[in-house]
């Protein structure tokens, strides 16, 4: 990919124009506080599950510690406050997957951030792996996958562990009550038992015990980690729902290519070009598709891509993007990144504070459009295929997602706002 040094110089000029300034992010709470925002009661129980998941995927201790401060358990618990434990675990794992997959491309230290060719291979493998995991590929499924459903309480783990003890120390199966031949003596028994305890722990964390896998293991640990998510969606969703989710994921993957091209070419995208890509790279549509999972809505639905619901989904996306890009500004500038709404608005608006003020106006307008669209959807004839109650759940679920996203953004260590003094709900942010 040919580098345009003039464009790179323009990016540096824009970054230098922003760095060193101090701006005020206005009080956004009144926009969101009029809606009910709660935290899932399973939040505390989800923390160790999320941390174990991160530990299994991120070997670098420094990066692992940083990711834990993001609090993905809180992210999931804010976005989906009514989800049961099993579904909450699935959406938390999806959130982790999205953040880690994107960081490989988007973070300055990401393994593919400066290698477009390798990034394209990464994208292509991801898309095929997702299709296979969701049961949507044309490949013949030849697997004999042995999986255990995610646990709902430690009681299930205890039962499973007790079974292992009986089978491998006493040589007795609880189901058959028949003796099993022993070989290798006591030490061999301890070794076998240890493997089975490890298997029981993996089962508890929703990890898999496989004989033959389809699809075959991915070459990348992050891509591979989607397998458990795909398994859950195959159980919970119809083919139509999985196709809808996959379309959202393909859009997400494709737009990361556009965004990376801008960065590597040194191009400063226009606001129109930015929004075209950002509506995908936000991954909001894929997250909204999880509303059906957490509410056990199952049917031939397109939800986020249904003509009657697309405007609502898009407004939810816009609200999340504007909120994120305002509250993550300090993080982005610290990483010398300008590919977000506020920096790209500076040349248009005339300054950083002016860009923030315009984003605030745009956020208010988007929330108003969402409310108007929600009222229209619920008052006109229902053509979505959902029941009226399911439709209401989906509409309210969209609102809960963007309200929850705001509440998480204020607390997460990812954006570093917790240490900034707040006055009347506003933030004074040095860049």
């Amino acid at each position: 990919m040919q580098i345009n040094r003039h464009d790179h110089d323009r990016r540096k000029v824009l970054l230098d124009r922003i760095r060193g300034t101090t701006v005020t992010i206005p009080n956004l709470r009144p926009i969101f506080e009029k809606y009910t925002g709660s935290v899932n009661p399973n939040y505390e129980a989800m923390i160790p599950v999320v941390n174990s998941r991160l530990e299994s995927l991120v070997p670098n201790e420094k990066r692992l510690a940083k990711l834990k401060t993001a609090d993905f358990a809180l992210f999931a618990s804010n976005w989906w406050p009514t989800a049961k434990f099993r579904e909450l675990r699935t959406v938390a794992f999806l959130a982790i997957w999205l953040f880690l997959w994107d960081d490989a491309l988007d973070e300055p230290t990401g393994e593919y951030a400066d290698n477009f060719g390798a990034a394209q291979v990464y994208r292509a493998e991801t898309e095929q792996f997702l299709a296979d995991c969701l049961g949507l590929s044309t490949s013949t499924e030849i697997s004999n996958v042995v999986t255990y459903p995610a646990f709902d309480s430690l009681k299930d783990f205890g039962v499973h562990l007790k079974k292992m003890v009986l089978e491998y120390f006493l040589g007795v199966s609880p189901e058959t009550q028949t003796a099993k031949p022993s070989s290798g003596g006591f030490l061999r028994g301890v070794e076998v038992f240890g493997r089975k305890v490890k298997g029981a722990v993996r089962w508890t964390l929703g990890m898999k015990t496989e004989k033959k896998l389809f699809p075959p293991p991915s070459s990348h640990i992050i891509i591979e980690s989607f397998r458990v998510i795909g398994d859950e969606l195959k159980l919970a969703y119809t083919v139509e729902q999985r196709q809808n989710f996959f379309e959202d994921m393909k859009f997400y993957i494709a737009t990361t290519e556009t965004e990376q091209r801008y960065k590597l070419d040194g191009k400063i995208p226009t606001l129109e070009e930015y929004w075209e890509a950002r509506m995908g790279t936000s991954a909001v549509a894929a997250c909204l598709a999880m509303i059906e999972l957490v509410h056990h809505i199952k049917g031939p639905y397109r939800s986020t891509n249904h003509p009657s619901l697309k405007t609502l989904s898009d407004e939810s996306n816009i609200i999340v993007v504007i909120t994120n890009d305002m509250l993550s500004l300090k993080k982005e500038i610290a990483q010398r990144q300008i590919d977000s709404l506020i920096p790209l608005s500076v040349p248009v608006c005339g300054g950083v504070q002016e860009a923030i003020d315009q984003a605030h106006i745009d956020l208010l307008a988007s929330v108003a459009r969402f409310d108007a669209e929600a009222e229209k959807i619920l008052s006109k004839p229902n053509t979505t295929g959902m029941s009226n109650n399911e439709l209401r759940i989906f509409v309210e679920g969209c609102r809960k997602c963007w309200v929850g996203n705001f509440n998480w953004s204020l607390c997460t260590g990812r954006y570093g706002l917790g240490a900034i003094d707040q006055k009347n709900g506003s933030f004074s942010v040095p860049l």
Side-chain angles (χ1 to χ4, degrees), residues 139-145 212-216:
S139 305
T140 302
E141 191 162 327
I142 58 173
S143 65
N144 180 20
V145 182
K212 293 181 181 179
L213 284 177
F214 181 85

Side-chain angles (χ1 to χ4, degrees), residues 35-47 71-84 88 400 403-409 411:
Y35 308 106
T36 302
S38 58
V39 177
N40 193 296
N42 292 301
Y43 164 57
E44 295 289 344
M46 188 55 59
I47 293 174
D71 202 345
F72 296 114
L74 183 63
F75 177 92
S77 296
N78 270 307
W79 273 65
W80 299 280
T82 60
K84 300 297 183 185
L88 184 66
K400 287 175 182 176
V403 171
N405 179 76
F406 171 74
N407 291 331
W408 171 77
S409 298
C411 302

